[in-house]
Amino acid sequence: MTKTYKEINQKIKSGDAVVVTAEEMIDIVEESGSKVAAEEVDVVTTGTFGPMCSSGAFLNFGHSDPPIKFDHLWLNEVHAYHGNAAVDCYLGVTRKLDKRPYEYGGGNVIEELVSGKEIRLRGISDTTDCYPLSEVDTYITIDDLNQAILCNPRNVYQKYDVAVNSTDRTLYTYMGKLLPNFGNAHYSGSGCLNPLANDPDFETIGIGTRIFLGGGVGYIIGHGTQHNPKNGMGTLFVKGNLKQMSPEYLRGVNYEKYGTSMFCGVGIPIPILNEGIAKKTAIKDEEITTEIVDYGIPRRDRPVLGKTNYKDLKKGFININGKEIKCSSMSSLYYARKIANELKEWIEEGKFLLNHPAESLPTDTEFHPMRQTSEIEFVKDLKREAVICYHDCDIKVVAEKIINQNINHIIITDRHNKLKGIVTSFDITKAVANNEKKLNDIITKKVITTTDNEPVDVATRRMKKHEISALPVIDDKNNVVGIISAEELM
Amino acid sequence: MAIINVSIPFRLIKQIEDYSRIVNEILKHNISFNILKFSTTSSGINLLLEVPEDKTKEITETLRSNDIQVDKKGRVILDEDKCIHCGSCISLCPTDALHFTNKDKVEFYGNKCIGCLICQDACPRGAISESK
Ligand code: SF4
Ligand code: SF4
């Protein structure tokens, strides 16, 4: 049996539509089968609530007197993008407050705008004959704006990687705080409640689909950037009137040592047009698999360490090589469910109708990496031969080498070229002054290292972070194969 | 590094060897830690330890299974109005003081908290703060 959008909308209008959430649909299909479920259920609601970095709002302030054409403008001191007409702008959620980058940003401004708070608008201009004003400094609320349109080029990832950290230091990433040595794991997404997981072939979700967006009504206006449905990583481009949204579902967030973003609530209704769609909306958490990825390797293709699924993730533990690791989400399952339920109520109350998409979303696009025309430099391109001393040699020998070869770092190895430590010219000076005799007492044994295939920028960042000026280059067996120092990087 | 406050009651330290046994219990995990403060009270010895963040759970569990108290004062507070129940803090908490309820809301058990502060800078909403 099949239904049409028109029939479903008739039922919604007369208050007869049967609406369930994607979680509830699982039980219905399990108990009665997809055939009966398709007959009984009219709409399945979904929801997700997580950090959605590719989000932001177009704002129009109206004209000042005399008029201004902004060249730069700031909202609560957060720089907004201005490459449009005189008093339009786009405020992106990841734009950081320059002075306090991990505390406040575009996402917070949008949350405050939607809360009705006053926002400081400051702008400057080079002035023209038609726009003579050079500066504006004023306070506005969302009611003062002509338009405030949430417009997010990439939302609602179908699923996401699970992040872990193999290194020996804490990492602060867009996947949250990751403890060293696989101390914890973070995932994102609402699993069986995720909108795209419930319509993986984009049979009902398309351009023009009316959705729950930020607590108000919004629309899908296309596929999102990086849309990659072939690999189960579809995304959506959405928009909606910010003026009718709620601060409960648009929350600015600030990640320590990473930056700022915004949680955005999205809920999508799936009309149960036929049995096939009914079956798909009964997808379970255990059927949605995802990969465990090592965020300790700062490369595009991070190593995949294993597979897991949302059922295990929601239980709070994943397994890597037999080791149990505590995991938790970065997105809120509690709010995802709340959104699915709220959308369900709207439909039950006849306030929200479904519409046939004007056009389907592509199902065959892929996500390509960046074309980089300037070559990335790797450590192996810039390293030089290391000056090496054995760990059992005399401090004097080391000191001589430093002076004769005019270098600042000596690498200490055992007789088989395995890294044992590093000594700087400063260590030697100090040792001589203190009359130290044993090399072993003055070498730094916990050495920060790099490898041949590490991009130079990554090595540089590590040096800066640890406030050191050289890194021994080692291979995977801890053999010393060179050194790279701040001088080569300049 | 995380800070934990360890109280070893006198009844566990009858002789000096007991003390080294307890410290060895920690060292067995092959980690280095700093003793920031060493003090005695009428009931026992208090140690303020600085331990690696990723080992905090192991250490806390080992000490507790040896009947040693790891601070129960609860040094963070959770501002429920700011919390969005994302869960970014949960996998970090070594004692499950922060955990999900069966409705997937985040809940904080103050009496399980050891005040290690690992969770604090992980909260994107500034909902976790050190209680004074
Ligand atoms: S709640 Fe925070 S401070 Fe308390 S034990 Fe857990 S991680 Fe440590
Ligand atoms: S990280 Fe902060 S906002 Fe997220 S659940 Fe924990 S306390 Fe709440």
Side-chain angles (χ1 to χ4, degrees):
Chain A
M1 93 142 241
T2 57
K3 276 178 257 177
T4 62
Y5 282 84
K6 205 168 155 201
E7 284 161 1
I8 293 175
N9 280 335
Q10 281 301 339
K11 282 179 151 182
I12 295 174
K13 281 186 209 155
S14 59
D16 298 328
V18 177
V19 190
V20 301
T21 69
E23 283 181 325
E24 293 163 344
M25 188 64 168
I26 296 172
D27 292 340
I28 295 172
V29 170
E30 196 144 279
E31 273 158 34
S32 325
S34 47
K35 191 159 177 282
V36 176
E39 281 162 23
E40 285 178 359
V41 177
D42 300 305
V43 185
V44 167
T45 60
T46 61
T48 185
F49 189 62
M52 303 204 187
C53 293
S54 272
S55 301
F58 282 105
L59 310 173
N60 177 282
F61 305 103
H63 287 297
S64 56
D65 184 30
I68 188 167
K69 176 167 78 76
F70 289 127
D71 282 315
H72 287 285
L73 70 125
W74 294 263
L75 290 152
N76 280 355
E77 296 302 298
V78 177
H79 207 163
Y81 167 76
H82 180 72
N84 307 104
V87 288
D88 278 328
C89 80
Y90 184 76
L91 176 64
V93 299
T94 64
R95 188 74 210 197
K96 298 177 272 202
L97 186 68
D98 293 335
K99 277 177 270 169
R100 294 184 283 131
Y102 311 127
E103 284 172 44
Y104 195 83
N108 300 87
V109 178
I110 291 177
E111 179 183 342
E112 288 183 27
L113 256 183
V114 178
S115 312
K117 290 198 182 138
E118 279 203 327
I119 305 288
R120 181 177 176 196
L121 163 65
R122 199 167 65 76
I124 51 169
S125 165
D126 279 351
T127 75
T128 68
D129 287 340
C130 45
Y131 291 110
L133 194 64
S134 63
E135 246 184 87
V136 155
D137 195 344
T138 181
Y139 283 84
I140 49 128
T141 70
I142 194 164
D143 295 332
D144 301 319
L145 302 177
N146 291 305
Q147 281 78 28
I149 304 160
L150 191 71
C151 185
N152 306 342
R154 176 164 80 251
N155 278 183
V156 198
Y157 254 115
Q158 205 160 341
K159 61 182 183 186
Y160 218 83
D161 293 339
V162 182
V164 293
N165 170 13
S166 66
T167 69
D168 55 6
R169 64 210 158 83
T170 299
L171 298 178
Y172 292 86
T173 72
Y174 68 81
M175 290 301 283
K177 181 174 176 179
L178 299 172
L179 296 179
N181 307 312
F182 305 105
N184 70 327
H186 274 148
Y187 71 96
S188 190
S190 55
C192 70
L193 274 166
N194 177 287
L196 299 189
N198 281 275
D199 185 9
D201 302 313
F202 300 92
E203 289 168 88
T204 72
I205 294 176
I207 296 179
T209 299
R210 187 179 289 118
I211 60 171
F212 173 112
L213 181 62
V217 173
Y219 296 88
I220 292 169
I221 56 174
H223 63 280
T225 54
Q226 299 186 11
H227 182 58
N228 188 358
K230 266 188 165 171
N231 295 304
M233 294 282 236
T235 72
L236 299 176
F237 205 140
V238 301
K239 69 152 263 189
N241 183 358
L242 198 64
K243 292 194 178 205
Q244 39 97 48
M245 293 184 193
S246 146
E248 188 178 8
Y249 298 108
L250 296 171
R251 306 274 198 132
V253 284
N254 304 285
Y255 291 96
E256 180 67 19
K257 297 189 181 71
Y258 173 71
T260 178
S261 185
M262 186 175 75
F263 270 54
C264 181
V266 182
I268 301 183
I270 316 274
I272 305 303
L273 304 173
N274 56 50
E275 191 187 336
I277 294 174
K279 211 180 210 163
K280 287 176 193 168
T281 54
I283 188 163
K284 294 180 189 156
D285 281 331
E286 53 264 49
E287 290 162 338
I288 308 174
T289 57
T290 181
E291 288 175 338
I292 303 166
V293 174
D294 184 1
Y295 275 59
I297 311 291
R299 298 296 298 274
R300 183 178 58 221
D301 298 319
R302 300 186 173 94
V304 174
L305 305 175
K307 272 202 163 169
T308 181
N309 61 61
Y310 277 80
K311 186 179 181 189
D312 288 341
L313 289 170
K314 286 181 184 177
K315 278 191 201 148
F317 289 97
I318 57 163
N319 209 299
I320 299 181
N321 301 332
K323 194 184 163 202
E324 202 168 66
I325 296 168
K326 201 172 165 188
C327 75
S328 60
S329 55
M330 306 186 55
S331 54
S332 173
L333 185 56
Y334 169 76
Y335 272 105
R337 191 177 291 132
K338 198 168 169 192
I339 288 164
N341 276 307
E342 194 149 325
L343 180 56
K344 172 179 158 176
E345 268 170 44
W346 290 358
I347 301 171
E348 283 173 343
E349 289 165 8
K351 288 199 294 200
F352 187 106
L353 297 178
L354 311 193
N355 54 342
H356 195 290
E359 217 173 89
S360 301
L361 297 182
T363 51
D364 58 353
T365 54
E366 278 178 283
F367 174 38
H368 301 292
M370 183 188 284
R371 173 172 175 229
Q372 285 162 292
T373 47
S374 56
E375 296 242 329
I376 289 273
E377 279 182 323
F378 292 93
V379 166
K380 64 167 176 275
D381 305 327
L382 287 186
K383 74 174 179 186
R384 59 183 164 78
E385 210 176 306
V387 178
I388 290 176
C389 280
Y390 294 132
H391 62 123
D392 47 8
C393 81
D394 203 90
I395 285 194
K396 245 180 73 194
V397 178
V398 182
E400 273 163 16
K401 273 201 180 169
I402 284 191
I403 295 165
N404 293 341
Q405 309 203 17
N406 191 20
I407 48 166
N408 283 320
H409 301 88
I410 297 264
I411 291 180
I412 310 298
T413 66
D414 66 10
R415 301 261 160 191
H416 307 286
N417 196 34
K418 303 274 185 223
L419 181 66
K420 283 278 171 197
I422 190 165
V423 172
T424 65
S425 45
F426 179 68
D427 296 331
I428 294 290
T429 321
K430 230 173 42 183
V432 172
N434 294 337
N435 207 14
E436 304 245 20
K437 292 261 151 44
K438 282 222 228 73
L439 181 60
N440 200 38
D441 293 342
I442 66 158
I443 64 177
T444 303
K445 288 176 190 140
K446 214 171 168 224
V447 193
I448 317 284
T449 60
T450 179
T451 55
D452 269 341
N453 290 322
E454 192 159 58
V456 167
D457 281 351
V458 177
T460 311
R461 191 176 151 81
R462 185 166 318 126
M463 265 191 236
K464 278 196 193 134
K465 190 164 174 175
H466 293 276
E467 295 178 345
I468 50 177
S469 53
L471 301 171
V473 187
I474 55 169
D475 67 10
D476 53 1
K477 296 190 179 68
N478 205 30
N479 291 310
V480 175
V481 294
I483 185 167
I484 185 160
S485 65
E487 293 124 56
E488 278 101 37
L489 299 173
M490 285 308 142
Chain B
M1 295 290 261
I3 312 277
I4 61 173
N5 193 356
V6 178
S7 313
I8 313 173
F10 279 133
R11 68 182 157 75
L12 291 183
I13 330 172
K14 301 248 162 52
Q15 47 205 16
I16 194 67
E17 287 77 37
D18 292 333
Y19 179 72
S20 55
R21 183 182 56 80
I22 287 161
V23 173
N24 275 330
E25 214 40 81
I26 309 176
L27 281 176
K28 203 168 65 188
H29 295 285
N30 191 21
I31 50 160
S32 54
F33 59 89
N34 298 320
I35 300 178
L36 299 180
K37 212 168 107 192
F38 180 99
S39 56
T40 50
T41 64
S42 54
S43 53
I45 290 175
N46 265 337
L47 298 175
L48 198 61
L49 300 184
E50 194 184 45
V51 300
E53 286 193 333
D54 56 317
K55 299 284 187 220
T56 312
K57 186 181 162 78
E58 255 176 283
I59 295 170
T60 306
E61 281 169 3
T62 314
L63 289 171
R64 284 187 170 166
S65 65
N66 278 277
D67 228 5
I68 292 162
Q69 261 188 37
V70 181
D71 196 31
K72 286 191 175 170
K73 277 185 291 223
R75 267 184 274 153
V76 299
I77 36 177
L78 177 69
D79 183 340
E80 284 178 24
D81 292 336
K82 286 189 182 161
C83 175
I84 51 173
H85 308 286
C86 64
S88 296
C89 54
I90 289 192
S91 70
L92 297 162
C93 179
T95 64
D96 297 329
L98 287 160
H99 62 265
F100 280 121
T101 64
N102 57 6
K103 295 245 178 323
D104 296 298
K105 271 185 125 169
V106 169
E107 195 176 47
F108 175 58
Y109 278 159
N111 62 355
K112 275 195 176 181
C113 173
I114 55 170
C116 67
L117 300 186
I118 296 174
C119 58
Q120 195 192 15
D121 65 358
C123 175
R125 292 284 298 174
I128 302 172
S129 53
E130 211 175 336
S131 83
K132 290 284 167 305

